[in-house]
Amino acid sequence: MFNMVTRTDNQDEKSNMMKVLDYAYEKATTGGLGLETAIELAEDYLQKNDGDPEKAAESLISWQIAKAGTAGFLSGMGGLITLPVAIPANIAAVVFIQIRMSAAIAHMGGYNLQQDQVKTFVYMALTGNSIADIAKDFGIKFGVKVAESAIKKIPGTILMKINQAVGFRLVTKAGSTGLINMGKLVPFLGGAISGAFDSVTTRMIGKTAKKMFITEGVTYSDE
């Protein structure tokens, strides 16, 4: 009985995680929170960096780390209260920031944010160092920068499995209580996100996204 309850709770957490990611991605790519969309953000940083995607990505990553740690910025994102599941506003804000950052980097690399495959790779970036294990399990390789058409070959059934794997990794990464229950940690974070979470996690995600979408690219093989 205990195992059945644990399994059900874990499935619920993964389901809630995907709802949060999907909501954040939609808002990051279409707008609605009173902030620049990922595309607008990407174009702005490309313009400031003479159209160089690598420099633009590095600059974006640095500034997103700073924003993620600003309590005023987090509290100003009032639209996040409409999230489909209840999680602390500051944590929801950081998830949104990281997804928008990764999506912006994908756009800088020439990827179409409306493609399901690209959305899945943005989610994968959130797993940081764990991305290598997920990629290996599903025949995805990082290498020489390739055309966006290469990832269009990934079928929908594989995308669903990758998303499930990402959800599991993120829930596990958040601890045994899961990200959805991380509100218990808020008093220890002083109303914002810890410095370690800001500087290490957000930078890691940004670097991972840059590696996938700009410096190396991705390929897929079903063999």
Side-chain angles (χ1 to χ4, degrees), residues 89-137:
N90 57 336
I91 293 174
V94 169
V95 170
F96 171 81
I97 290 169
Q98 293 172 343
I99 282 183
R100 187 177 66 147
M101 173 184 67
S102 297
I105 292 173
H107 179 76
M108 290 175 183
Y111 291 83
N112 182 354
L113 301 185
Q114 299 306 311
Q115 290 182 356
D116 289 339
Q117 290 89 343
V118 175
K119 179 170 70 172
T120 292
F121 275 89
V122 168
Y123 291 174
M124 286 178 67
L126 299 181
T127 65
N129 291 336
S130 297
I131 193 172
D133 295 331
I134 296 176
K136 181 179 179 181
D137 289 342

Side-chain angles (χ1 to χ4, degrees), residues 1-11:
M1 180 65 70
F2 177 77
N3 290 335
M4 292 178 62
V5 172
T6 301
R7 187 178 301 112
T8 300
D9 289 344
N10 186 262
Q11 290 174 342

Side-chain angles (χ1 to χ4, degrees), residues 65 68-70 74 90-91 94 98 182 185-186 188-202:
I65 291 171
T70 304
L74 297 177
N90 57 336
I91 293 174
V94 169
Q98 293 172 343
M182 281 183 68
L185 301 181
V186 173
F188 298 98
L189 301 182
I193 302 300
S194 70
F197 188 93
D198 292 338
S199 61
V200 177
T201 307
T202 304

Side-chain angles (χ1 to χ4, degrees), residues 48-70:
K48 292 177 180 177
N49 289 274
D50 301 320
D52 187 322
E54 289 197 40
K55 291 182 179 179
E58 286 293 340
S59 180
L60 171 63
I61 293 168
S62 296
W63 279 105
Q64 294 311 290
I65 291 171
K67 284 185 177 181
T70 304

